[in-house]
Amino acid sequence: MDKYQTLKKILENATSLVVFTGAGISVPSGIPDFRSADGIYNQKAKINIPPEEIISHSFFEENTEYFYDFYKEKMCYPKAKPNAAHKYFADLEKKGVNVTVVTQNIDGLHQVAGSSRVYELHGNVHRNYCMKCHRYFGLDYILNSHDVPHCDNCGGIVKPDVVLYEESLDEDIISRSISAIMTCDVMVVIGTSLTVYPAAGFIRYFKGRYLIVINKQKTAYDNSCDMVFNEDIIEVIKKIK
């Protein structure tokens, strides 16, 4: 049995499977990652400020219009569709595998693919709320707004429900994610360099049987894993379907 068939068997026979995903799983859907040559952090903004600073809480507060210029152009991909990797794990759930997705992504593609238990560590671009009256708005409202989006109810500024730099992760989401990782027997990490904390530290809570990494580049955790695939996730999915 080759390593792909071994992986297929492990995933399909998991009692409880946690899929921990980063930007790499959504690159085949047309959403750039952050740190590669073509990634968001290496793209030029209209103003000469590092992207990490633009998507920070303080920049949002002080330069809201510039924040939205960058955010709408570089962070939102309304036409993106789930790819074969998103669909594979949603289909595993439909086949009866107990699947929990813990994701660093903000694109909502796991849910669109059909995964029902998704813990979003960094929020979701499709959820936006008024900072005054807390009314919620969809992504279209943000993209169709001129300059800074304002609430059509009270006039307050509408903020994306995403975790910006300098902001804390949701404590309930953290707790649920760690609990799932601590109690699963299989954990597969996909498309993340495992360098962004605190999320990257979650892998340390895994006490199960099989820890698997699928990522184009090597990670600091590769030597601790049971299986490592330093290749494109879509190519791996093709070989295990």
Side-chain angles (χ1 to χ4, degrees):
M1 186 183 295
D2 68 15
K3 66 176 184 176
Y4 299 101
Q5 290 306 305
T6 300
L7 173 63
K8 176 183 172 74
K9 185 176 180 181
I10 289 172
L11 295 176
E12 291 181 348
N13 293 328
T15 302
S16 181
L17 169 65
V18 166
V19 185
F20 186 94
T21 64
I25 196 172
S26 293
V27 169
S29 293
I31 301 177
D33 62 9
F34 290 87
R35 291 173 174 79
S36 70
D38 299 319
I40 291 170
Y41 289 170
N42 289 310
Q43 296 182 19
K44 287 188 177 179
K46 293 179 182 177
I47 50 178
N48 191 26
I49 296 176
E52 297 98 313
E53 185 177 337
I54 296 175
I55 52 176
S56 67
H57 178 82
S58 55
F59 192 90
F60 173 83
E61 292 279 323
E62 298 162 11
N63 303 277
T64 313
E65 186 174 337
Y66 284 124
F67 168 88
Y68 268 113
D69 279 346
F70 181 86
Y71 180 79
K72 291 178 185 181
E73 182 182 356
K74 305 294 187 183
M75 305 291 288
C76 301
Y77 294 84
K79 295 181 180 179
K81 305 292 184 187
N83 60 53
H86 298 105
K87 293 175 183 176
Y88 176 83
F89 292 104
D91 288 342
L92 268 188
E93 181 184 337
K94 290 171 188 171
K95 292 175 182 176
V97 179
N98 179 20
V99 180
T100 299
V101 176
V102 179
T103 186
Q104 296 171 289
N105 298 339
I106 57 175
D107 51 45
L109 293 182
H110 283 294
Q111 293 94 320
V112 177
S115 291
S116 63
R117 191 185 304 117
V118 181
Y119 299 142
E120 296 171 310
L121 297 173
H122 298 151
N124 189 317
V125 296
H126 296 278
R127 296 191 304 265
N128 306 274
Y129 64 90
C130 172
M131 297 175 71
K132 261 190 186 178
C133 71
H134 306 292
R135 184 175 182 180
Y136 269 75
F137 297 89
L139 180 57
D140 285 347
Y141 190 86
I142 300 295
L143 297 179
N144 295 330
S145 296
H146 180 66
D147 296 328
V148 178
H150 286 82
C151 176
D152 57 8
N153 180 53
C154 74
I157 292 175
V158 178
K159 181 181 183 294
D161 189 13
V162 300
V163 180
L164 304 177
Y165 283 104
E166 303 167 351
E167 294 180 345
S168 300
L169 274 60
D170 183 281
E171 290 293 337
D172 183 56
I173 296 297
I174 290 175
S175 177
R176 291 171 183 264
S177 299
I178 290 175
S179 177
I181 291 168
M182 289 181 69
T183 56
C184 71
D185 61 322
V186 180
M187 181 174 179
V188 56
V189 179
I190 302 172
T192 174
S193 58
L194 293 172
T195 56
V196 178
Y197 285 83
F202 288 12
I203 196 170
R204 296 174 182 166
Y205 292 95
F206 178 70
K207 308 294 182 186
R209 189 173 180 190
Y210 296 108
L211 178 59
I212 301 156
V213 166
I214 306 173
N215 191 57
K216 280 187 175 181
Q217 289 76 38
K218 294 183 182 300
T219 78
Y221 286 88
D222 285 7
N223 291 336
S224 305
C225 295
D226 298 286
M227 300 188 79
V228 176
F229 298 81
N230 289 135
E231 55 188 297
D232 184 87
I233 177 59
I234 299 300
E235 294 305 311
V236 174
I237 294 298
K238 284 179 183 177
K239 294 171 183 175
I240 66 174
K241 286 187 74 174

